[in-house]
Amino acid sequence: MKYSPPLDGIRAFAILAVLVFHAFPGSLPGGFTGVDVFFVLSGYLIASVILFDLREGRFTMREFYLRRIQRLLPNAATTVLVTVSLAALLLVPSEAVKAAKNGVFALLNLSNVYIWRNVGGYWGDSGEYAPFLHTWSLAVEEQFYLFFPALLLLLARRRPRASALPAAVGALAAGSFALSLWGMGQHPAATFYLLPTRAWEPLLGALLAALRVPSSAATPLSPFRP
């Protein structure tokens, strides 16, 4: 894949929109949708990378996850260590313990589950005092990256028709979106934080990638290595 500056530009605008929304909510009321845009872009980019590597016969699960660990773990561990240390100095003990627990869940890519169960709604007052509240979206992404490559590998092993991959990804996206619509009225906090009701966004990006990456009969998915 070639580097695409426009996609990085869109991602930058999405991040800036979220930052402005949190710092000055009245100036950009819809800035929180930058998270949704970021999810779609992430799904598109990661699916494109995997599909290109599969077609070249060089994709391995080991290398994929090693790349994710090298990219995220050093920064995440540093952030958690510094934040927990500051929490121990500045917060009352009970709140510092909560911050440390959330930090552990963040390193395990389960921060969204912890926040859902222990903090509640993102827009509630309790969220203002959760130092790792922002890590819920990273957890959703990493959980998606954990399961989605396995789906692509399964489809690659069966060597489907060119239209099978977009159809499968589209069906999953539609199912997740329907679940999200239902969940907003029944379980709004879980719908906001958890992967099953958020997966339609990165899956939408993955669908665009599946439609874009060449997949003619002359270039089937190459055999992969575990």
Side-chain angles (χ1 to χ4, degrees):
M1 284 185 62
K2 293 182 180 179
Y3 170 68
S4 178
L7 291 181
D8 253 359
I10 296 173
R11 185 156 52 177
F13 277 115
I15 295 172
L16 286 174
V18 174
L19 291 175
V20 172
F21 170 76
H22 281 78
F24 312 101
S27 62
L28 194 61
F32 60 88
T33 56
V35 175
D36 305 290
V37 174
F38 197 90
F39 278 153
V40 174
L41 283 174
S42 295
Y44 174 82
L45 291 170
I46 205 67
S48 296
V49 169
I50 294 173
L51 288 172
F52 273 106
D53 282 352
L54 280 172
R55 280 164 174 76
E56 295 296 322
R58 60 170 180 254
F59 179 81
T60 69
M61 296 288 283
R62 177 178 177 274
E63 184 177 350
F64 174 80
Y65 289 121
L66 279 177
R67 272 191 243 163
R68 299 305 306 169
I69 291 171
Q70 291 170 356
R71 179 182 177 88
L72 294 174
L73 187 58
N75 294 329
T78 301
T79 300
V80 168
L81 179 62
V82 172
T83 304
V84 169
S85 299
L86 290 173
L89 292 173
L90 302 175
L91 300 180
V92 297
S94 60
E95 293 300 318
V97 169
K98 290 179 182 178
K101 288 181 179 179
N102 195 174
V104 172
F105 274 79
L107 292 176
L108 296 174
N109 295 320
L110 292 171
S111 183
N112 57 333
V113 177
Y114 178 88
I115 294 169
W116 165 53
R117 297 298 298 271
N118 295 277
V119 177
Y122 186 86
W123 314 103
D125 293 338
S126 59
E128 296 183 5
Y129 303 99
F132 293 107
L133 185 65
H134 63 289
T135 59
W136 74 268
S137 60
L138 181 61
V140 170
E141 278 194 77
E142 294 308 307
Q143 290 161 18
F144 178 79
Y145 294 158
L146 180 63
F147 296 107
F148 187 66
L151 171 65
L152 292 185
L153 289 178
L154 178 63
L155 294 173
R157 176 175 292 176
R158 296 186 176 183
R159 293 177 176 270
R161 298 188 308 274
S163 60
L165 179 58
V169 175
L172 288 172
S176 174
F177 182 66
L179 184 62
S180 177
L181 292 178
W182 174 82
M184 283 191 292
Q186 302 295 323
H187 307 283
T191 301
F192 183 89
Y193 286 122
L194 302 184
L195 177 63
T197 47
R198 283 285 185 174
W200 68 271
E201 294 171 307
L203 283 171
L204 180 59
L207 175 59
L208 296 174
L211 293 171
R212 174 181 175 272
V213 176
S215 57
S216 65
T219 57
L221 294 178
S222 300
F224 60 87
R225 293 169 289 155

